[in-house]
Amino acid sequence: MSPVSEASVTPKVEITDEEIFAGHIGGKLSVETTAPLDSQRALSIAYTPGVAQVSRAIHADETLADRYTWTNRLVVVVSDGSAVLGLGDIGPRASLPVMEGKSALFKNFAGLNSIPLVLDTKDPDEIVETLVRLRPSFGAVNLEDISAPRCFEIERRVIEALDCPVMHDDQHGTAIVALAALRGAAKVQDRDITALRVVISGAGAAGVACANILLAAGIADVTVLDSKGIVSSDREDLNEIKADLASRTNPAGRSGGLVEALDGADVFLGVSAGTVPEEIIATMAPESIIFAMSNPDPEIHPDIAAKYAAIVATGRSDFPNQINNVLAFPGVFKGALDAGARRITEGMKLAAADAILSVLGDELAVDKIVPSPLDPRVAPAVAAAVAQAAKDEGVA
């Protein structure tokens, strides 16, 4: 297997605080008009009195709002600021720069209008009710940076309450790209992905979603760890989410911690803030695969991981194989909205993962198991695959 070439690694870019803050002055979003307002006639068409005719028409047939407003193509990025990046619970106002950035990514990669919506409450009832009341104003909901385990309940209830695409990106965006990367790694190694023994470190939003999508992809041997060790059925300290996870994972009935879980494992998938000692990584199976996805500090440094693993990926941009949610969520939402989907299904997520990998074709390599987050081919491919899956599953 060929080593990773120096040319394949994106060099780390040094950015000063001055540059960072200057790039955020006034925020990262603006609203632009699509209709001219340069004459009295144009004003009369875009606003009063002409706009009243459109309002009357929508009052008579509410479905016309899809044609005559931006609603059906508008994604709201919703957060309570309780689990922002690696910063934790910093509140709604401090989360706004992140949510603005998310909206900017929607526009840049998928051409979708998007606005941030941060809520000054952590109460699931209030969050769900707020989105129900605001439903006439948007066409899809991207839940973002909501802490576990509340994020699971909130996503489930919002999906049940609304008739539009809803996805918690910290869960499913991460899971989609992780699956795409694992399929890419297995393909490079000419291995059957369903035969891999996978260990997931982290049982929060991303860890649970990664476990679910890997199981849906046919991987039978998945073991999940939280801060207290292997999530197993013999533990009495599991919440409802983890208890359900325990019933569907760890088929060998392993107990203990990272040492017991990683011994002989094929894949390590890290989505926690913890660290993994080098000597434990050394006990993994030959030709192992390591996805140390915590950002900015991976669970184990990629250079150390590469001493033992055949393929290494991280969440960082200055190492090869960056696992970045932007490969998934813009195309997923575009595809769902293109198809007029009422929800985002597991089949649509699996289709997104396949589409991400398909972009690479002959470019697939040890140091390129997923496309670059800046690859312009990705979002259109994901959108097309997701839209087709929505039609195939009858939710379009």
Side-chain angles (χ1 to χ4, degrees), residues 43-65:
L43 186 61
S44 296
I45 292 173
Y47 197 52
T48 185
V51 72
Q53 294 188 39
V54 182
S55 293
R56 289 192 189 100
I58 294 173
H59 177 64
D61 179 1
E62 290 189 352
T63 65
L64 293 178

Side-chain angles (χ1 to χ4, degrees), residues 333-357:
F333 276 94
K334 184 177 189 304
L337 291 173
D338 286 349
R342 299 180 297 279
R343 58 191 176 91
I344 296 172
T345 66
E346 287 302 310
M348 293 160 72
K349 297 169 195 171
L350 291 170
D354 284 340
I356 291 169
L357 180 59

